[in-house]
Structures are given as structure tokens and as C-alpha cells.
Amino acid sequence: MIADLFNLDRALTPQERKRLKAGTTPKGYAALPGTGPAGETCGSCAHVVRRQMARVYLKCGLMRRGWTAGIASDVRAKAPACSRWAAPEATEAGS
Ligand code: SF4
């Protein structure tokens, strides 16, 4: 890797190094995305939570114990539903 060649890792602060290692892919899914009902997404799931902080973070309510204040525990609204997807309650849709 070119970063290793120039030893760029030494130029990073510990916080930058940690952020780089964590990556930018959300990892807060309750199960593997794409294993749920076809055509459904996290955005249409009853378990999705819109958490208002400095900005809005989408979280899976089933993964509440692992929530962070950042992207590491996020889900994406357009991610294909996982096997634990649940339909929003009929009363919410009907009102
Ligand atoms: S589909 Fe629902 S249960 Fe699955 S990760 Fe997304 S919000 Fe959580």
C-alpha cells in the first residue's frame, strides 16, 4: 500500500487513525442487509429510529445497546431490508 511506503500513518493524529480504521460504512444493522423481504428497506422498517443530534442519524432500534453518536452504528435508509425487518404498525399507516 502506498501509505505504508511513505509511512503516512505517522502523520495522522490518534483520532484520525481511529476514524480511518473504523471506515465509513455503517455497521448498525440487526442482520445482514438484503436478507429481508424484497423491495423493503431500512427506511420502511418499524425498527428504524431517526436520532436527532448535531445532525440526524438513522439507527436500528434493535441495536440500541451498540449505538454511538456517529456513523459507526448507523443504518442507511436505502439499505435493503434485513431478516428482522418489520412492517410499521397498521394504525400508523391508517391515521
Ligand atoms: S431492516 Fe429494520 S431491523 Fe433490519 S437493520 Fe434495518 S432497521 Fe434494523
Side-chain angles (χ1 to χ4, degrees):
M1 184 175 185
I2 197 142
D4 295 336
L5 182 66
F6 295 106
N7 206 7
L8 294 178
D9 190 51
R10 290 185 61 187
L12 300 173
T13 65
Q15 189 178 12
E16 288 169 334
R17 208 170 289 131
K18 187 177 171 186
R19 207 176 309 142
L20 194 64
K21 201 173 180 182
T24 56
T25 306
K27 299 178 185 80
Y29 302 98
L32 190 66
T35 56
E40 300 296 349
T41 62
C42 283
S44 66
C45 179
H47 298 301
V48 75
V49 176
R50 286 168 176 80
R51 195 166 188 223
Q52 180 71 52
M53 305 291 277
R55 53 173 274 245
V56 175
Y57 295 92
L58 282 187
K59 308 286 183 185
C60 175
L62 299 177
M63 301 295 285
R64 190 175 295 265
R65 289 184 67 188
W67 283 3
T68 65
I71 194 170
S73 62
D74 278 7
V75 297
R76 291 207 172 111
K78 291 183 178 176
C82 80
S83 59
R84 300 188 67 187
W85 181 90
E89 300 225 359
T91 53
E92 287 178 35
S95 61

